[in-house]
Short mmCIF file of all heavy atoms in Angstrom, two decimals:
data_model
loop_
_atom_site.label_atom_id
_atom_site.label_comp_id
_atom_site.label_asym_id
_atom_site.label_seq_id
_atom_site.Cartn_x
_atom_site.Cartn_y
_atom_site.Cartn_z
N ALA A 1 -2.99 11.11 17.56
CA ALA A 1 -1.71 11.05 16.85
C ALA A 1 -1.06 9.68 17.02
O ALA A 1 -0.52 9.11 16.06
CB ALA A 1 -0.78 12.15 17.35
N GLN A 2 -1.14 9.12 18.23
CA GLN A 2 -0.61 7.78 18.46
C GLN A 2 -1.37 6.74 17.65
O GLN A 2 -0.76 5.82 17.09
CB GLN A 2 -0.67 7.43 19.95
CG GLN A 2 0.29 8.21 20.81
CD GLN A 2 0.11 7.89 22.29
OE1 GLN A 2 -0.41 6.84 22.65
NE2 GLN A 2 0.54 8.80 23.14
N MET A 3 -2.69 6.87 17.58
CA MET A 3 -3.51 5.94 16.81
C MET A 3 -3.14 6.02 15.33
O MET A 3 -3.04 5.01 14.64
CB MET A 3 -4.99 6.21 17.03
CG MET A 3 -5.91 5.26 16.27
SD MET A 3 -5.75 3.52 16.70
CE MET A 3 -6.73 3.45 18.18
N ARG A 4 -2.95 7.24 14.84
CA ARG A 4 -2.55 7.41 13.43
C ARG A 4 -1.24 6.67 13.16
O ARG A 4 -1.11 6.00 12.13
CB ARG A 4 -2.41 8.89 13.11
CG ARG A 4 -2.04 9.15 11.65
CD ARG A 4 -1.75 10.60 11.36
NE ARG A 4 -0.59 11.01 12.15
CZ ARG A 4 -0.47 12.15 12.78
NH1 ARG A 4 -1.42 13.04 12.73
NH2 ARG A 4 0.62 12.43 13.47
N ASP A 5 -0.28 6.77 14.07
CA ASP A 5 0.99 6.07 13.90
C ASP A 5 0.79 4.56 13.89
O ASP A 5 1.41 3.86 13.07
CB ASP A 5 1.97 6.47 15.01
CG ASP A 5 2.41 7.92 14.91
OD1 ASP A 5 2.26 8.54 13.81
OD2 ASP A 5 2.91 8.45 15.92
N LEU A 6 -0.06 4.06 14.76
CA LEU A 6 -0.33 2.62 14.78
C LEU A 6 -1.00 2.15 13.50
O LEU A 6 -0.67 1.09 12.96
CB LEU A 6 -1.20 2.26 15.99
CG LEU A 6 -0.54 2.35 17.36
CD1 LEU A 6 -1.57 2.08 18.47
CD2 LEU A 6 0.61 1.38 17.47
N VAL A 7 -1.93 2.94 12.99
CA VAL A 7 -2.61 2.59 11.74
C VAL A 7 -1.60 2.61 10.58
O VAL A 7 -1.62 1.72 9.71
CB VAL A 7 -3.79 3.55 11.47
CG1 VAL A 7 -4.33 3.38 10.06
CG2 VAL A 7 -4.89 3.33 12.49
N THR A 8 -0.70 3.58 10.58
CA THR A 8 0.33 3.64 9.54
C THR A 8 1.21 2.41 9.60
O THR A 8 1.55 1.83 8.56
CB THR A 8 1.18 4.92 9.72
OG1 THR A 8 0.31 6.05 9.62
CG2 THR A 8 2.25 5.02 8.67
N GLU A 9 1.59 1.99 10.80
CA GLU A 9 2.39 0.77 10.96
C GLU A 9 1.63 -0.45 10.46
O GLU A 9 2.20 -1.35 9.84
CB GLU A 9 2.77 0.57 12.42
CG GLU A 9 3.82 1.53 12.94
CD GLU A 9 4.11 1.31 14.41
OE1 GLU A 9 3.88 0.19 14.93
OE2 GLU A 9 4.55 2.27 15.06
N LEU A 10 0.34 -0.51 10.76
CA LEU A 10 -0.47 -1.66 10.37
C LEU A 10 -0.62 -1.76 8.86
O LEU A 10 -0.46 -2.82 8.27
CB LEU A 10 -1.85 -1.57 11.03
CG LEU A 10 -2.86 -2.66 10.64
CD1 LEU A 10 -2.40 -4.02 11.12
CD2 LEU A 10 -4.22 -2.33 11.22
N PHE A 11 -0.92 -0.61 8.22
CA PHE A 11 -1.21 -0.64 6.79
C PHE A 11 0.01 -0.38 5.92
O PHE A 11 -0.06 -0.56 4.71
CB PHE A 11 -2.30 0.38 6.45
CG PHE A 11 -3.66 -0.05 6.94
CD1 PHE A 11 -4.30 0.67 7.93
CD2 PHE A 11 -4.28 -1.16 6.42
CE1 PHE A 11 -5.54 0.29 8.39
CE2 PHE A 11 -5.53 -1.56 6.88
CZ PHE A 11 -6.16 -0.82 7.87
N GLY A 12 1.12 0.02 6.50
CA GLY A 12 2.33 0.30 5.71
C GLY A 12 2.72 -0.84 4.79
O GLY A 12 2.89 -0.66 3.59
N PRO A 13 2.88 -2.06 5.31
CA PRO A 13 3.25 -3.18 4.44
C PRO A 13 2.20 -3.47 3.36
O PRO A 13 2.55 -3.83 2.24
CB PRO A 13 3.36 -4.37 5.41
CG PRO A 13 3.59 -3.76 6.75
CD PRO A 13 2.88 -2.45 6.73
N LEU A 14 0.93 -3.29 3.68
CA LEU A 14 -0.12 -3.54 2.68
C LEU A 14 -0.05 -2.51 1.55
O LEU A 14 -0.21 -2.86 0.39
CB LEU A 14 -1.49 -3.49 3.35
CG LEU A 14 -1.78 -4.56 4.39
CD1 LEU A 14 -3.11 -4.29 5.07
CD2 LEU A 14 -1.76 -5.93 3.77
N VAL A 15 0.21 -1.26 1.90
CA VAL A 15 0.32 -0.20 0.90
C VAL A 15 1.53 -0.45 0.01
O VAL A 15 1.46 -0.30 -1.21
CB VAL A 15 0.38 1.19 1.57
CG1 VAL A 15 0.72 2.27 0.58
CG2 VAL A 15 -0.93 1.49 2.27
N GLN A 16 2.64 -0.84 0.61
CA GLN A 16 3.84 -1.13 -0.16
C GLN A 16 3.62 -2.30 -1.11
O GLN A 16 4.03 -2.26 -2.27
CB GLN A 16 5.02 -1.43 0.76
CG GLN A 16 5.52 -0.21 1.50
CD GLN A 16 6.61 -0.55 2.49
OE1 GLN A 16 6.94 -1.72 2.70
NE2 GLN A 16 7.17 0.47 3.12
N GLN A 17 2.94 -3.34 -0.64
CA GLN A 17 2.66 -4.49 -1.49
C GLN A 17 1.77 -4.11 -2.66
O GLN A 17 2.00 -4.52 -3.78
CB GLN A 17 1.99 -5.62 -0.67
CG GLN A 17 1.68 -6.86 -1.48
CD GLN A 17 2.92 -7.52 -2.04
OE1 GLN A 17 3.93 -7.63 -1.35
NE2 GLN A 17 2.88 -7.96 -3.27
N GLU A 18 0.75 -3.28 -2.40
CA GLU A 18 -0.13 -2.84 -3.48
C GLU A 18 0.63 -2.01 -4.50
O GLU A 18 0.42 -2.15 -5.70
CB GLU A 18 -1.31 -2.04 -2.92
CG GLU A 18 -2.30 -1.63 -3.99
CD GLU A 18 -3.49 -0.90 -3.41
OE1 GLU A 18 -3.87 -1.16 -2.27
OE2 GLU A 18 -4.04 -0.06 -4.15
N ALA A 19 1.52 -1.16 -4.04
CA ALA A 19 2.33 -0.34 -4.95
C ALA A 19 3.23 -1.22 -5.79
O ALA A 19 3.38 -0.99 -7.00
CB ALA A 19 3.15 0.67 -4.16
N GLN A 20 3.80 -2.26 -5.20
CA GLN A 20 4.64 -3.18 -5.96
C GLN A 20 3.81 -3.94 -6.99
O GLN A 20 4.27 -4.19 -8.10
CB GLN A 20 5.34 -4.14 -5.02
CG GLN A 20 6.42 -3.49 -4.19
CD GLN A 20 7.01 -4.44 -3.15
OE1 GLN A 20 6.55 -5.57 -2.99
NE2 GLN A 20 8.01 -3.96 -2.42
N ASP A 21 2.61 -4.33 -6.61
CA ASP A 21 1.74 -5.04 -7.55
C ASP A 21 1.38 -4.17 -8.74
O ASP A 21 1.30 -4.64 -9.87
CB ASP A 21 0.46 -5.52 -6.85
CG ASP A 21 0.73 -6.62 -5.83
OD1 ASP A 21 1.85 -7.19 -5.85
OD2 ASP A 21 -0.16 -6.90 -5.01
N ARG A 22 1.15 -2.88 -8.50
CA ARG A 22 0.82 -1.97 -9.60
C ARG A 22 1.99 -1.78 -10.55
O ARG A 22 1.83 -1.67 -11.74
CB ARG A 22 0.36 -0.62 -9.06
CG ARG A 22 -1.00 -0.69 -8.44
CD ARG A 22 -1.47 0.66 -8.00
NE ARG A 22 -2.77 0.57 -7.36
CZ ARG A 22 -3.45 1.59 -6.94
NH1 ARG A 22 -2.98 2.80 -7.08
NH2 ARG A 22 -4.62 1.41 -6.38
N VAL A 23 3.21 -1.73 -10.00
CA VAL A 23 4.40 -1.58 -10.83
C VAL A 23 4.63 -2.85 -11.63
O VAL A 23 5.04 -2.79 -12.78
CB VAL A 23 5.63 -1.25 -9.94
CG1 VAL A 23 6.91 -1.32 -10.74
CG2 VAL A 23 5.47 0.13 -9.33
N ALA A 24 4.34 -4.00 -11.04
CA ALA A 24 4.56 -5.28 -11.70
C ALA A 24 3.59 -5.51 -12.86
O ALA A 24 3.89 -6.22 -13.80
CB ALA A 24 4.44 -6.41 -10.70
N ALA A 25 2.41 -4.91 -12.84
CA ALA A 25 1.40 -5.13 -13.87
C ALA A 25 0.88 -3.80 -14.41
O ALA A 25 -0.30 -3.50 -14.30
CB ALA A 25 0.27 -5.96 -13.31
N PRO A 26 1.73 -2.97 -15.06
CA PRO A 26 1.26 -1.66 -15.52
C PRO A 26 0.31 -1.75 -16.71
O PRO A 26 -0.50 -0.87 -16.92
CB PRO A 26 2.55 -0.93 -15.90
CG PRO A 26 3.50 -2.02 -16.24
CD PRO A 26 3.14 -3.16 -15.32
N GLU A 27 0.38 -2.83 -17.51
CA GLU A 27 -0.51 -2.89 -18.68
C GLU A 27 -1.97 -2.98 -18.28
O GLU A 27 -2.84 -2.48 -18.99
CB GLU A 27 -0.13 -4.06 -19.59
CG GLU A 27 -0.29 -5.44 -18.97
CD GLU A 27 0.93 -5.87 -18.15
OE1 GLU A 27 1.93 -5.14 -18.12
OE2 GLU A 27 0.86 -6.93 -17.52
N GLU A 28 -2.27 -3.58 -17.14
CA GLU A 28 -3.66 -3.62 -16.68
C GLU A 28 -4.15 -2.24 -16.29
O GLU A 28 -5.29 -1.88 -16.55
CB GLU A 28 -3.80 -4.58 -15.50
CG GLU A 28 -3.65 -6.03 -15.89
CD GLU A 28 -3.82 -6.94 -14.70
OE1 GLU A 28 -4.45 -6.51 -13.72
OE2 GLU A 28 -3.34 -8.07 -14.74
N ALA A 29 -3.28 -1.46 -15.67
CA ALA A 29 -3.67 -0.12 -15.25
C ALA A 29 -3.91 0.78 -16.46
O ALA A 29 -4.82 1.61 -16.47
CB ALA A 29 -2.60 0.49 -14.35
N LEU A 30 -3.11 0.60 -17.49
CA LEU A 30 -3.28 1.42 -18.69
C LEU A 30 -4.49 0.99 -19.49
O LEU A 30 -5.14 1.80 -20.14
CB LEU A 30 -2.02 1.32 -19.57
CG LEU A 30 -0.75 1.92 -18.99
CD1 LEU A 30 0.43 1.65 -19.91
CD2 LEU A 30 -0.90 3.41 -18.75
N ASP A 31 -4.81 -0.29 -19.44
CA ASP A 31 -5.92 -0.82 -20.20
C ASP A 31 -7.25 -0.32 -19.66
O ASP A 31 -8.20 -0.11 -20.39
CB ASP A 31 -5.87 -2.36 -20.17
CG ASP A 31 -6.95 -2.99 -21.01
OD1 ASP A 31 -7.30 -2.40 -22.04
OD2 ASP A 31 -7.45 -4.06 -20.64
#
């Protein structure tokens, strides 16, 4: 459980950045 929390902390910013990138370029996702 502690390791899961550490992994979430590590990848949290990366996941948020990827989500922002997808919102910024929706035409590529639809294409």
Side-chain angles (χ1 to χ4, degrees):
Q2 290 176 22
M3 181 61 81
R4 182 186 63 221
D5 293 341
L6 289 175
V7 169
T8 300
E9 288 177 24
L10 176 66
F11 288 114
L14 296 173
V15 170
Q16 289 176 355
Q17 181 63 42
E18 183 177 330
Q20 289 174 356
D21 291 347
R22 288 184 182 184
V23 170
E27 64 275 356
E28 289 181 22
L30 294 175
D31 184 33

